[in-house]
Amino acid sequence: MSDIKAPLRPKRKKIWVDYFVQFRWIIVIFVVLPISFTLYFLTYLGDVKSERKSFKQRQKEHDENVLKVVKRLKERDPKKDGLVCTARKPWIAVGMRNVDYKRARHCEVDLSAFRNVLEIDKERMVARVEPLVNMGQISRVTVPMNLSLAVVAELDDLTVGGLINGYGIEGSSHIYGLFSDTVVAYEIVLADGRVVRATKDNEFSDLFYAIPWSQGTLGLLVSAEIKLIPVKEYMKLTYKPVVGNLKDLAQGYLDSFAPRDGDQDNAEKVPDFVETMIYSPTEAVCMTGKYASKEEAKKKGNVINSVGWWFKPWFYQHAQTALKRGEFVEYIPTREYYHRHTRCLYWEGKLILPFADQWWFRYFLGWMMPPKVSLLKATQGEAIRNYYHEMHVIQDMLVPLYKVGDALEWVHNEMEVYPLWLCPHRLYKLPMKTMVYPEPGFDLHRRQGDTQYAQMYTDVGVYYAPGPVLRGEVFDGAGAVRKMENWLIENHGFQPQYAVSELNEKSFWRMFDAGLYEHCRRKYKAVGTFMSVYYKSKKGRKSEKEVQEEEQAHLEPAYAEVDQPAD
Ligand SMILES: Cc1cc2nc3c(=O)[nH]c(=O)nc-3n(C[C@H](O)[C@H](O)[C@H](O)COP(=O)(O)OP(=O)(O)OC[C@H]3O[C@@H](n4cnc5c(N)ncnc54)[C@H](O)[C@@H]3O)c2cc1C
């Protein structure tokens, strides 16, 4: 592997969009950042207002709002109004899909009032929250109580509804699985207006298992009960540099959290948090975290680093210093650690504002960071959006842990994107086969990281401009994504649907299992009311003809090969 060479590509002629993207920072500094800051502040005030209401009041408003949703669904005239989706503006969602279905005819249901934390139940260790509660909001409520959601996605703006119906992960997912694996109950409004509570062992257990990855195409989520865990005030973080070829880096990553003796559930051997950043084909920094009390953190000689201050170096650059200074340990306040990638949007901030990592910018304007992803999307026209599809990659490849080395080599050869983000997560063997599922028979191999009940996967996060684009060479972005999707299908991998996809319907259902999903679509009468998950996820504008075809889809067999679970 050490002798891999990226293919030679011819030079590309610059067009006007290249110059626009190069100078986009002007719009970002003078328009996007001030508006973002104002919006963050207004959202914060909204959260404070919500927190001042009693839990009883919040519950009362919740019940009233659920009734409004039910009424709206019942009022819908299927012939005139089209299929149902939420009224959330397409650009507000963090995901990179175009959300083109919202430009076509559809019936909007307004869920904007569903943004309250309804209950923190310390006895059951469960938080009951509405779907628009975001990660910044929930961690602000729970962390001062020394509690946390088991999986807190890093970016403040990500919502509970999006992380459940779409995809959510964090450095604790090697213990708890994906965000949706930490949910104990969903409150769903079904197509016929019924409001049901689905848990893993009640009469709606099939719905419970089918909701994750379904993109809101089985019903509208109005609240979720999510597992809480006890946490401490600080994260003791160890930064360990690894050098070698990509296979060596992959092994260093595996060894950072998966004991070779298979003792994966031993809290002494397995860290609370894991992430690795690969900075080049030969350099990585593996980070492992353990919760620590404030007494421990404040002991003489320990280094406390409050990474959340606006003037601090960006987290990924700070971690990179381990390559020069060697392994080091520091204590980071827990909430600041959770949201460590928010201010610089992982490393995307460097492309958007190339000088925002410099000390003078951080000190004088860093408090306005980050630009809201939603506003960045709102201020880019069609041409810029298409440019990003071709010249930029934002994709997550979920691959079995033992294939991480192969995935890294594949990314190097086809995309050459650095840094790369590695974050492990469990894929559970569940009583029902869900859209994503572990490799059949994985438990016989006893591979590093696996247990009898879950296969260890890894998210290989590929976010940045590819090497060829940075060098001014020709790059076929759509072609690279197509190849990546095929690679994932061949290697039992998955692609989160928030990213731009080139899959046709047949290939989509080769990547994901359709059985339980299609069964629930029919059983809960979602067909003809909610869009299908493929239609919702696919790239491109949706014409009236396509809308009509989608509405009629339940009359024709889909590409999905459906194994019917028993009702
Ligand atoms: C820059 C960037 C950074 C990211 N960082 C992270 C990260 O740190 N961690 C992580 O896990 N992921 C991350 N992601 C991916 C992100 O998790 C997905 O985009 C997630 O699905 C979207 O979050 P959202 O809150 O914007 O949801 P949306 O895009 O609004 O929703 C996702 C899907 O869920 C459906 N949905 C939402 N609410 C409801 C509801 N109430 N009822 C029914 N359906 C509903 C929507 O219709 C949509 O289909 C990132 C993505 C980007 C582009």
Side-chain angles (χ1 to χ4, degrees), residues 164-165 186 204-218 432-435 515-521 524:
I164 288 173
N165 288 279
Y186 300 110
F204 300 106
S205 59
D206 49 1
L207 186 63
F208 176 85
Y209 285 115
I211 290 289
W213 295 76
S214 70
Q215 302 284 335
T217 60
L218 293 170
M432 295 180 205
K433 193 174 178 190
T434 52
M435 276 179 69
L516 179 66
Y517 171 75
E518 289 290 352
H519 159 79
C520 287
R521 288 266 297 166
Y524 297 105

Side-chain angles (χ1 to χ4, degrees), residues 3-21:
D3 56 354
I4 50 163
K5 282 201 182 79
L8 285 175
R9 295 177 165 100
K11 288 278 175 199
R12 188 178 69 84
K13 258 201 181 148
K14 280 196 172 185
I15 54 170
W16 70 268
V17 192
D18 287 287
Y19 296 102
F20 184 90
V21 169

Side-chain angles (χ1 to χ4, degrees), residues 4 114 198 230 234 326 329 336 340 361 363 428 461 471 484 555:
I4 50 163
F114 290 88
Y234 284 86
V329 177
E336 295 181 29
R340 64 202 175 280
F361 186 95
Y363 275 87
Y428 290 99
R471 291 193 296 270
M484 181 199 83
L555 303 175

Side-chain angles (χ1 to χ4, degrees), residues 86 88 92-97 101 111 131 153-155 157-159 161-163 165-169 215-216 219-222 345-346 373 394 498 536:
T86 68
R88 201 172 187 216
I92 291 182
V94 175
M96 287 293 127
R97 276 183 302 129
Y101 57 85
L111 297 182
E154 283 109 354
L155 227 60
D157 277 352
L158 298 168
T159 63
L163 295 164
N165 288 279
Y167 160 79
I169 191 172
Q215 302 284 335
L220 294 168
L221 178 73
V222 285
L345 300 172
Y346 288 80
V373 175
I394 294 200
Y498 83 84
K536 212 171 165 183

Side-chain angles (χ1 to χ4, degrees), residues 143-164:
V143 172
M145 301 176 186
N146 278 3
L147 296 174
S148 169
L149 297 188
V151 172
V152 186
E154 283 109 354
L155 227 60
D156 290 21
D157 277 352
L158 298 168
T159 63
V160 165
L163 295 164
I164 288 173

